[in-house]
Amino acid sequence: MPSGTRPAWPTRCGASSRPLLAEEGITADTDPTDLPTLQSALDSAVARYNTALFTPTGRARAEAAALLRQVVSSFADGETGHAARLLDSLGPQASQEQPATSTACIGLSLSLLDAWSAPAGGAPAGVLAGTALPAGHWRGERAATDILALARKGRAHRSHQRLIAQHGGRHVMDGAALALAATVQAGAKHTGTSAAEIAEAAIG
């Protein structure tokens, strides 16, 4: 898919990490010379902050689901340019023009793929095992290949930071959407149901 210009992932947590640091016992009164303790608390706060970003709930999940349904349906209809524009509109922060965020869309995509690997996940049996990426060269293709391999073991979501470190956030965003679209299309072919209907029911 065409390259985008907006960042697709957070690099660090700022003021919003303060409540998390407080939960680790780090406040304005903490001794600043105890660097190992401060670093450990900061690492823990960053990990928890990023996990929350990549685990959307409520409105954040609804916005991410709405965008992913559009991407999957556009991809199934051969409108890959439109799908790419939708993905390029994503950034790490919601805006009036685009209420969905890249982190929420990555997290939801990976969570759905993981869920579909389980017998009770709602996907046709073996659909992930039979999912193959479409022919061609796609931005995020290598990330998508790794995502599908991890999702078949139910480990894609927990590996999101490693995926981003390896492939870069934009490629993981596109790769997650590509893997999701390919899986929905595989399910559509398996069941004889349209990809749009599966996306509506499965993504929510």
Side-chain angles (χ1 to χ4, degrees):
M1 294 182 183
S3 297
T5 57
R6 297 179 63 183
W9 61 98
T11 57
R12 61 183 177 180
C13 55
S16 57
S17 68
R18 290 171 188 164
L20 296 174
L21 284 171
E23 291 178 16
E24 297 290 332
I26 304 300
T27 67
D29 297 324
T30 300
D31 182 358
T33 64
D34 187 8
L35 295 181
T37 298
L38 288 172
Q39 186 61 55
S40 177
L42 181 59
D43 290 345
S44 178
V46 168
R48 292 168 64 193
Y49 174 79
N50 281 330
T51 296
L53 283 179
F54 287 92
T55 311
T57 59
R59 183 170 181 176
R61 188 197 186 285
E63 298 290 1
L67 185 131
L68 289 172
R69 286 196 301 270
Q70 293 181 63
V71 169
V72 169
S73 295
S74 296
F75 200 92
D77 292 338
E79 298 175 356
T80 55
H82 180 59
R85 286 190 293 274
L86 287 170
L87 293 173
D88 283 342
S89 73
L90 291 168
Q93 301 295 328
S95 66
Q96 185 173 359
E97 295 77 19
Q98 179 50 272
T101 67
S102 55
T103 49
C105 288
I106 290 172
L108 181 55
S109 296
L110 299 182
S111 293
L112 287 168
L113 290 166
D114 279 347
W116 294 345
S117 70
V127 67
L128 267 175
T131 295
L133 298 180
H137 298 286
W138 309 94
R139 189 180 67 187
E141 183 177 0
R142 290 183 179 179
T145 298
D146 286 351
I147 287 167
L148 283 173
L150 288 165
R152 289 172 184 132
K153 302 173 185 176
R155 292 165 42 195
H157 187 270
R158 76 181 72 171
S159 304
H160 66 268
Q161 290 297 330
R162 179 169 66 80
L163 288 164
I164 288 171
Q166 181 176 353
H167 298 286
R170 178 57 65 183
H171 282 256
V172 172
M173 174 69 262
D174 280 14
L178 180 61
L180 188 69
T183 303
V184 168
Q185 286 186 286
K189 183 177 180 180
H190 184 86
T191 62
T193 308
S194 74
E197 288 180 272
I198 289 182
E200 182 71 29
I203 298 174

